[in-house]
Short mmCIF file of all heavy atoms in Angstrom, two decimals:
data_model
loop_
_atom_site.label_atom_id
_atom_site.label_comp_id
_atom_site.label_asym_id
_atom_site.label_seq_id
_atom_site.Cartn_x
_atom_site.Cartn_y
_atom_site.Cartn_z
N ALA A 551 -20.29 -179.55 -137.40
CA ALA A 551 -18.85 -179.39 -137.20
C ALA A 551 -18.29 -178.24 -138.02
O ALA A 551 -17.45 -177.45 -137.54
CB ALA A 551 -18.13 -180.69 -137.56
N ALA A 552 -18.76 -178.10 -139.26
CA ALA A 552 -18.29 -176.99 -140.10
C ALA A 552 -18.73 -175.65 -139.53
O ALA A 552 -17.97 -174.66 -139.55
CB ALA A 552 -18.83 -177.16 -141.52
N THR A 553 -19.94 -175.59 -139.00
CA THR A 553 -20.42 -174.37 -138.35
C THR A 553 -19.55 -174.01 -137.16
O THR A 553 -19.19 -172.83 -136.96
CB THR A 553 -21.88 -174.55 -137.92
OG1 THR A 553 -22.69 -174.81 -139.07
CG2 THR A 553 -22.41 -173.31 -137.20
N VAL A 554 -19.19 -175.00 -136.36
CA VAL A 554 -18.34 -174.76 -135.20
C VAL A 554 -17.00 -174.18 -135.64
O VAL A 554 -16.50 -173.20 -135.05
CB VAL A 554 -18.13 -176.06 -134.40
CG1 VAL A 554 -17.01 -175.89 -133.36
CG2 VAL A 554 -19.42 -176.46 -133.70
N LEU A 555 -16.38 -174.75 -136.67
CA LEU A 555 -15.09 -174.23 -137.14
C LEU A 555 -15.22 -172.79 -137.61
O LEU A 555 -14.37 -171.94 -137.29
CB LEU A 555 -14.55 -175.11 -138.27
CG LEU A 555 -13.22 -174.67 -138.88
CD1 LEU A 555 -12.13 -174.53 -137.83
CD2 LEU A 555 -12.79 -175.63 -139.99
N ALA A 556 -16.27 -172.48 -138.35
CA ALA A 556 -16.47 -171.10 -138.81
C ALA A 556 -16.58 -170.15 -137.63
O ALA A 556 -16.01 -169.05 -137.64
CB ALA A 556 -17.72 -171.02 -139.68
N GLY A 557 -17.29 -170.56 -136.59
CA GLY A 557 -17.43 -169.72 -135.41
C GLY A 557 -16.14 -169.55 -134.64
O GLY A 557 -15.86 -168.47 -134.10
N GLU A 558 -15.34 -170.61 -134.57
CA GLU A 558 -14.05 -170.52 -133.89
C GLU A 558 -13.13 -169.52 -134.59
O GLU A 558 -12.46 -168.71 -133.95
CB GLU A 558 -13.38 -171.90 -133.86
CG GLU A 558 -14.07 -172.91 -132.98
CD GLU A 558 -14.05 -172.52 -131.51
OE1 GLU A 558 -12.95 -172.36 -130.96
OE2 GLU A 558 -15.13 -172.35 -130.94
N LEU A 559 -13.10 -169.57 -135.91
CA LEU A 559 -12.23 -168.67 -136.67
C LEU A 559 -12.69 -167.23 -136.55
O LEU A 559 -11.88 -166.30 -136.42
CB LEU A 559 -12.20 -169.10 -138.13
CG LEU A 559 -11.46 -170.42 -138.41
CD1 LEU A 559 -11.77 -170.92 -139.81
CD2 LEU A 559 -9.96 -170.24 -138.21
N SER A 560 -14.01 -167.03 -136.55
CA SER A 560 -14.53 -165.67 -136.47
C SER A 560 -14.24 -165.03 -135.11
O SER A 560 -13.70 -163.91 -135.04
CB SER A 560 -16.04 -165.67 -136.73
OG SER A 560 -16.56 -164.36 -136.68
N LEU A 561 -14.57 -165.74 -134.03
CA LEU A 561 -14.34 -165.16 -132.70
C LEU A 561 -12.85 -165.03 -132.41
O LEU A 561 -12.40 -164.01 -131.87
CB LEU A 561 -15.01 -166.02 -131.63
CG LEU A 561 -14.82 -165.53 -130.19
CD1 LEU A 561 -15.27 -164.08 -130.03
CD2 LEU A 561 -15.56 -166.43 -129.22
N GLY A 562 -12.06 -166.05 -132.78
CA GLY A 562 -10.62 -165.96 -132.54
C GLY A 562 -10.01 -164.76 -133.23
O GLY A 562 -9.17 -164.05 -132.66
N SER A 563 -10.44 -164.50 -134.46
CA SER A 563 -9.92 -163.34 -135.19
C SER A 563 -10.37 -162.04 -134.57
O SER A 563 -9.62 -161.06 -134.49
CB SER A 563 -10.37 -163.41 -136.65
OG SER A 563 -9.88 -164.57 -137.28
N ALA A 564 -11.62 -161.99 -134.12
CA ALA A 564 -12.16 -160.76 -133.52
C ALA A 564 -11.41 -160.40 -132.25
O ALA A 564 -11.16 -159.22 -131.97
CB ALA A 564 -13.65 -160.93 -133.22
N VAL A 565 -11.03 -161.40 -131.46
CA VAL A 565 -10.28 -161.14 -130.23
C VAL A 565 -8.90 -160.56 -130.57
O VAL A 565 -8.46 -159.57 -129.97
CB VAL A 565 -10.14 -162.43 -129.40
CG1 VAL A 565 -9.20 -162.20 -128.21
CG2 VAL A 565 -11.51 -162.88 -128.89
N VAL A 566 -8.22 -161.17 -131.53
CA VAL A 566 -6.88 -160.70 -131.90
C VAL A 566 -6.94 -159.31 -132.53
O VAL A 566 -6.10 -158.45 -132.25
CB VAL A 566 -6.21 -161.68 -132.87
CG1 VAL A 566 -4.84 -161.17 -133.33
CG2 VAL A 566 -6.04 -163.05 -132.21
N ALA A 567 -7.96 -159.06 -133.36
CA ALA A 567 -8.10 -157.75 -134.02
C ALA A 567 -8.70 -156.69 -133.11
O ALA A 567 -8.91 -155.56 -133.53
CB ALA A 567 -8.95 -157.91 -135.28
#
Side-chain angles (χ1 to χ4, degrees):
T553 299
V554 168
L555 178 56
E558 292 296 301
L559 290 166
S560 181
L561 179 55
S563 299
V565 172
V566 177

